[in-house]
Amino acid sequence: MGKKILLENDHVPGIRGYDVYRSKGGYASVEKALKSMTPEAVTEEVKKSGLRGRGGAGFPTGMKWGFLAKPPGVARYLICNADESEPGTFKDRYLMERIPHLLIEGMITSSYALGVKTSYIYIRGEYFYIARILEEAIDEAYKAGWLGTNILGTGYDLDLYVHVGAGAYICGEETALLESLEGKRGNPRIKPPFPAVEGLYGCPTVVNNVETIAAVVSIINQGGAAYAAIGIGKSTGTKLISASGHINKPGVYEIELGVPVEEFIYSDEYCGGIRNGKKLKAVVAGGSSVPILPAGLILKTAAGEPRLMTYESLADGGFATGTMLGSGGFIVMDETTSIVKNLWNFTRFYQHESCGQCSPCREGTLWMEKVLRRIVGGQGALRDIDLLWDVQSNIEGKTICPFGDAAAWPVASAIRHFRKEFEEYVTHPEKISDVKHYYSVNNLPVA
Amino acid sequence: MNAVKEIRFSQESLELIEKMIKRYPEGKHKSALIPVLHIAQAEFDGWLSTEVMDYVAGILKLEPIEVYEVATFYSLFNLEPVGKCVIEVCRTSSCWLMGAEDIIRHLEKKLGISPGGTTADGMFTLKTVECLGSCGTAPVMQVGAAYHENLDLNKVDNLLDKFRSEGNRKCYTDRITPDQK
Ligand SMILES: Cc1cc2nc3c(=O)[nH]c(=O)nc-3n(C[C@H](O)[C@H](O)[C@H](O)COP(=O)(O)O)c2cc1C
Ligand code: SF4
Ligand code: FES
């Protein structure tokens, strides 16, 4: 069994409530930080831990905190990103639903480190019932004296609020989130200025993912060095993986970074193998935006090394043969899956969710969806595959926010690794419903 | 659908809105717009008419255009009348892999409507939505605040019966927390 930090007390009955959470050592990090550490010392521990943002980009959290501007007399904000809309990702929901106080504790400790007096949890609109769970937990925390004025008699004041969104994937992008929190459309801002300098209401702001903030609790309790001792290299600590698709045991798993992908998919401790005795065809390892990999390349790197669940190992080989850890949304596809149809589904998603500010993204996602719909409908031509390639390459890197890349990468990777399947779709449209056919056509190593 | 009704929040909603506005700094009350639109949608039959949006603008001291801009951006806001029960089915990746298409087709057949449509008796509206963050329990649909997970056609039928028997509840009221601070 791997070491569990975030979900250590996941199965303790009543852990959602304050009393049980407290009895299991809850809020110790707040006590320790406020009573015995300076804010700078808290940030220092987070730096030492090597913790990297769990929202998708993997940016070192301590470094991000270090960038926060601190002009005197200006308010600063910490915003928890609980928008969780990346297809395939449902770990933040799990954490907030099961152990809401872990997030609240992390918010208090982190807010103290950043010198923040008002914090918000921006939660996606659909998670109404989780917003309610958080509100109840926040009430309990106020009553017990962990929030409000003069916390623990230390003179530190903090207010924490939940803010519910209204359905828009783009609001997970941090500057779109800030716009949304200000009561506007979720249009990403041009950077710079970065949120660390001009964020919410023009004030210095840190935006961190739910899981990132929850990890701070253990880092302060056990020390940054103890956290850094878990994992491999620059992939320290544990990571929540949302596993879905054609597996025996879908769900949220806390892994020590470094678990081999093969073990994660096939061991009974995690996904328990492919459903119905089928074979593995492909995996999207880090949420819909990261490149899809065929079975052979997700289990082993191009050099034949076992692929591990770390930022580095999943990215090994670059986009030619690798992918990304992303948000940890691990979508498994068996041999009956049509990669072409699946790509059409993804692209339809991006077309629907583009905020429409930049023409490469707005028009490009529209075109890609159209062309893929044509191919899936049996009306495609060989030149459509080149057209798709061309369109995606004209989005990547040419937009205001990384959504454009996120829409382009799935298309590029699907064509890169499964081109034969696309070709068969347009040359033998009569065989479109024969998924087995496409499995053999791809001629890929079978796992 | 319903005769001209005076657009006015209940006392309870007005108090909730007061509390919402206090969550944001002085002068930043625009931040309360999305939360207030959720309250409005729950109170005024599940959708936002121009009249309702203008009323919200008045309450929050915003220009009507500021409210329209937001209401039209976010997919949870309905800009046309909906049925008493709005069924939102996820159509994205993991749900799609696990049979969302069959669920949607089944609902279309049973209700006699396509996504976006409302049944003639005003009971059901069918919507398809993007990933609900419930991919491990796919396929999934949301009704009000509740998630219905690991769906199959049988489960869908039972749910439809249940919704029908609860006939006259107002949609979305369970999305609002009356006990919010
Ligand atoms: C299109 C898009 C969607 C995103 N969605 C989310 C999200 O749902 N949750 C999240 O934490 N980060 C999301 N991010 C990343 C955020 O912009 C930001 O990097 C993150 O919240 C920072 O937190 P972290 O450093 O703790 O990961 C998204 C980014 C993009 C470009
Ligand atoms: S890349 Fe797409 S989502 Fe991002 S700002 Fe441009 S149009 Fe909007
Ligand atoms: S894909 Fe349907 S809930 Fe995520």
Side-chain angles (χ1 to χ4, degrees):
Chain A
M1 283 285 276
K3 189 171 172 60
K4 291 206 176 16
I5 293 176
L6 301 169
L7 303 184
E8 192 188 355
N9 294 318
D10 179 28
H11 292 291
V12 175
I15 194 73
R16 188 191 282 174
Y18 173 75
D19 293 335
V20 175
Y21 181 75
R22 177 73 177 140
S23 76
K24 288 281 162 191
Y27 290 95
S29 79
V30 177
E31 224 159 2
K32 182 170 177 184
L34 267 62
K35 288 193 170 159
S36 70
M37 296 170 81
T38 61
E40 294 72 26
V42 176
T43 303
E44 208 42 52
E45 284 308 313
V46 173
K47 280 187 183 159
K48 257 191 243 166
S49 74
L51 174 66
R52 293 165 69 176
R54 303 300 195 220
F59 192 82
T61 306
M63 197 190 289
K64 185 188 254 188
W65 289 12
F67 290 150
L68 185 67
K70 297 181 176 160
V74 178
R76 287 167 232 152
Y77 294 99
L78 171 64
I79 315 292
C80 171
N81 189 342
D83 191 61
E84 189 162 75
S85 309
E86 172 88 359
T89 317
F90 45 100
K91 64 182 177 84
D92 296 338
R93 172 183 171 206
Y94 185 91
L95 194 148
M96 294 186 285
E97 179 169 354
R98 310 281 289 226
I99 324 176
H101 281 286
L102 185 65
L103 173 59
I104 294 162
E105 177 175 357
M107 285 298 281
I108 302 168
T109 304
S110 306
S111 296
Y112 171 74
L114 297 167
V116 161
K117 294 197 168 353
T118 308
S119 298
Y120 297 95
I121 300 173
Y122 181 103
I123 187 164
R124 64 177 296 181
E126 293 82 351
Y127 286 177
F128 291 101
Y129 82 98
I130 297 177
R132 192 166 308 174
I133 290 169
L134 288 173
E135 304 258 8
E136 279 166 15
I138 288 173
D139 270 351
E140 289 182 317
Y142 267 102
K143 285 202 188 99
W146 300 105
L147 283 166
T149 48
N150 194 20
I151 300 167
L152 302 180
T154 59
Y156 178 60
D157 306 337
L158 176 66
D159 282 311
L160 174 60
Y161 303 106
V162 176
H163 180 99
V164 177
Y169 166 64
I170 192 58
C171 290
E173 193 281 331
E174 57 185 8
T175 60
L177 184 154
L178 296 173
E179 288 286 298
S180 181
L181 185 46
E182 291 180 4
K184 299 182 233 160
R185 295 166 78 89
N187 288 338
R189 299 174 180 170
I190 293 174
K191 296 193 255 191
F194 289 92
V197 179
E198 271 181 52
L200 185 65
Y201 310 129
C203 301
T205 302
V206 166
V207 180
N208 272 134
N209 175 256
V210 171
E211 187 187 346
T212 312
I213 288 171
V216 170
V217 171
S218 157
I219 289 168
I220 297 311
N221 283 335
Q222 317 295 331
Y227 189 88
I230 307 165
I232 296 181
K234 285 189 175 162
S235 294
T236 64
T238 65
K239 173 90 190 81
L240 297 180
I241 306 292
S242 321
S244 68
H246 298 140
I247 45 178
N248 282 315
K249 293 167 54 195
V252 174
Y253 296 100
E254 180 170 13
I255 60 158
E256 275 186 44
L257 285 165
V259 170
V261 173
E262 185 160 3
E263 181 182 338
F264 184 69
I265 296 177
Y266 292 101
S267 120
D268 278 337
E269 196 182 328
Y270 305 112
C271 302
I274 311 302
R275 277 178 17 141
N276 304 326
K278 294 269 189 318
K279 287 177 190 138
L280 174 67
K281 180 169 182 179
V283 171
V284 175
S288 61
S289 305
V290 310
I292 189 171
L293 287 184
L297 281 176
I298 188 68
L299 299 174
K300 288 200 165 55
T301 65
E305 300 286 323
R307 184 91 67 183
L308 309 178
M309 301 284 277
T310 63
Y311 292 95
E312 292 74 22
S313 180
L314 283 166
D316 187 288
F319 279 3
T321 56
T323 180
M324 289 159 81
L325 179 60
S327 66
F330 198 89
I331 310 172
V332 178
M333 302 171 191
D334 73 14
E335 58 191 298
T336 68
T337 311
S338 157
I339 298 298
V340 180
K341 268 187 113 177
N342 182 70
L343 180 65
W344 167 69
N345 186 286
F346 277 170
T347 304
R348 185 199 48 69
F349 169 82
Y350 288 103
Q351 187 262 317
H352 184 261
E353 297 297 325
S354 165
C355 88
Q357 275 192 112
C358 339
S359 25
C361 171
R362 182 187 60 240
E363 305 299 322
T365 53
L366 202 81
W367 272 106
M368 294 192 302
E369 193 276 335
K370 240 188 197 168
V371 173
L372 278 160
R373 184 154 25 105
R374 190 157 70 213
I375 296 177
V376 165
Q379 318 273 292
L382 276 173
R383 63 172 186 282
D384 282 335
I385 305 170
D386 296 325
L387 179 60
L388 274 177
W389 186 268
D390 191 49
V391 176
Q392 69 77 25
S393 67
N394 277 302
I395 303 174
E396 192 191 359
K398 299 184 176 67
T399 56
I400 292 176
C401 89
F403 178 105
D405 300 344
W409 293 340
V411 176
S413 57
I415 297 178
R416 187 180 297 122
H417 300 298
F418 297 94
R419 188 171 189 112
K420 284 211 181 97
E421 186 169 327
F422 286 81
E423 288 170 357
E424 281 290 312
Y425 251 78
V426 298
T427 52
H428 293 96
E430 74 283 359
K431 288 193 183 151
I432 278 175
S433 53
D434 182 4
V435 271
K436 277 263 183 244
H437 174 69
Y438 294 100
Y439 193 69
S440 54
V441 155
N442 278 301
N443 202 16
L444 294 161
V446 172
Chain B
M1 231 179 270
N2 38 352
V4 185
K5 185 165 93 178
E6 196 198 354
I7 295 171
R8 238 191 100 72
F9 279 126
S10 65
Q11 194 52 39
E12 201 188 15
S13 293
L14 285 170
E15 281 164 21
L16 186 52
I17 291 168
E18 261 324 292
K19 283 180 197 159
M20 287 290 174
I21 293 172
K22 289 212 187 87
R23 292 180 167 190
Y24 310 97
E26 222 23 77
K28 305 297 181 194
H29 53 276
K30 185 170 175 174
S31 280
L33 178 53
I34 289 177
V36 172
L37 286 175
H38 281 304
I39 298 172
Q41 187 158 277
E43 186 145 346
F44 303 114
D45 300 317
W47 70 292
L48 301 171
S49 63
T50 311
E51 291 75 20
V52 166
M53 290 190 273
D54 291 348
Y55 173 66
V56 167
I59 296 239
L60 285 177
K61 301 185 183 67
L62 300 173
E63 293 300 325
I65 182 74
E66 294 178 273
V67 180
Y68 306 160
E69 275 179 349
V70 164
T72 52
F73 186 84
Y74 297 92
S75 62
L76 285 178
F77 297 130
N78 300 315
L79 301 175
E80 282 175 23
V82 291
K84 284 180 182 138
C85 176
V86 183
I87 299 176
E88 301 177 317
V89 194
C90 175
R91 62 177 181 183
T92 322
S93 50
S94 308
C95 284
W96 179 81
L97 287 174
M98 300 302 283
E101 263 182 322
D102 295 341
I103 302 287
I104 295 166
R105 237 182 268 127
H106 184 69
L107 278 163
E108 285 183 315
K109 220 163 63 197
K110 288 273 298 200
L111 300 176
I113 50 178
S114 317
T118 299
T119 53
D121 62 358
M123 182 61 214
F124 292 107
T125 295
L126 180 62
K127 275 174 92 173
T128 49
V129 296
E130 305 299 349
C131 179
L132 286 165
S134 195
C135 332
T137 45
V140 183
M141 67 188 202
Q142 181 167 34
V143 176
Y147 277 64
H148 301 282
E149 306 170 48
N150 293 311
L151 292 177
D152 54 39
L153 302 190
N154 220 341
K155 251 190 186 169
V156 170
D157 287 344
N158 293 339
L159 283 166
L160 286 181
D161 289 344
K162 179 167 162 277
F163 298 145
R164 241 188 229 105
S165 68
E166 292 168 351
N168 44 16
R169 64 185 188 144
K170 273 169 82 180
C171 74
Y172 297 150
T173 40
D174 65 341
R175 288 185 169 181
I176 304 305
T177 2
D179 51 347
Q180 269 163 330
K181 283 198 335 324

